[in-house]
Amino acid sequence: MPQIVSSFLRKNPGIVVSVAVHSPERVWSLVASGQCDVGLARPQAGFAAVDDELLMTTEAVCVLPRQHRLRSKRSIAAQDLRGEPMIAASPSAPHRSRFERILDEAKVEIKTVAEIQYSMQRCALVAQGLGFSIVDPIVARDFASSKIVLKPFVPRLEIATMLLLPSQRPRSRLALQFCDLLRAETAQYRKSARVQA
């Protein structure tokens, strides 16, 4: 988001951009009611006044404290996490329920020590050595530091991000330009992710 906002402001001097972080349900609600021009959120059902587009799908990563016993593994599976403390996503997060199903199928029990809605805050707690977390790789990559390591989680756990626009009003030139920048940045991320793989 910082790169996108920066590029947008350079192209449109004098414009004021307001960026707010809310729960997915709140983002969908704000877009549906026309209170914001563009939204980014996880998929939700039941919002008829929103035009949604799948912006991108990423594969969740396991974030570990830098000195964790699993730090040298190439990837992390459910069995590796048996008994480990977890900083979990909020109960309403779609990928949390899918992750818990994976644990159930593998008959693996973990210890949830905290439930935190936002990935960045979960990464911060991992950096403090409080446990592992399963997060969106984009956020984890931006938070990567000497205190955490990122590992692919297997089996694949996809996290979808939707681009949302209000369907009850015309789109402004600026809103459409912002959406184009989001799509371009997403395409660049996918390209760089393929190169790194």
Side-chain angles (χ1 to χ4, degrees), residues 4 17 40 49 53-54 58-59 70 96 116-117 119 142 148 151 158 165 178:
I4 294 165
V17 174
L40 292 173
E53 167 190 332
L54 178 61
T58 55
E59 293 179 21
L70 298 172
R96 177 169 172 179
I116 308 290
Q117 180 173 349
S119 294
D142 288 345
I148 64 172
K151 298 290 180 177
E158 292 188 340
L165 295 161
F178 195 80

Side-chain angles (χ1 to χ4, degrees), residues 51-158:
D51 290 334
D52 61 330
E53 167 190 332
L54 178 61
L55 184 65
M56 73 181 311
T57 301
T58 55
E59 293 179 21
V61 293
C62 182
V63 183
L64 301 164
R66 175 65 63 177
Q67 299 305 316
H68 196 277
R69 67 178 181 85
L70 298 172
R71 68 185 179 276
S72 61
K73 290 186 68 71
R74 288 182 60 114
S75 61
I76 305 297
Q79 294 84 350
D80 298 323
L81 299 170
R82 190 180 309 277
E84 290 288 334
M86 178 175 75
I87 295 100
S90 61
S92 62
H95 76 276
R96 177 169 172 179
S97 59
R98 296 197 307 271
F99 176 67
E100 288 175 345
R101 279 197 300 275
I102 291 169
L103 293 176
D104 288 344
E105 289 168 6
K107 296 181 173 45
V108 169
E109 289 189 14
I110 55 164
K111 300 178 290 189
T112 299
V113 296
E115 292 180 339
I116 308 290
Q117 180 173 349
Y118 299 115
S119 294
M120 187 173 291
Q121 294 167 336
R122 295 201 305 276
C123 288
L125 289 179
V126 171
Q128 295 298 314
L130 297 179
F132 76 92
S133 193
I134 302 295
V135 303
D136 186 317
I138 296 176
V139 175
R141 178 192 65 175
D142 288 345
F143 197 85
S145 71
S146 60
K147 295 184 176 181
I148 64 172
V149 292
L150 315 179
K151 298 290 180 177
F153 180 76
V154 291
R156 292 174 49 186
L157 185 59
E158 292 188 340

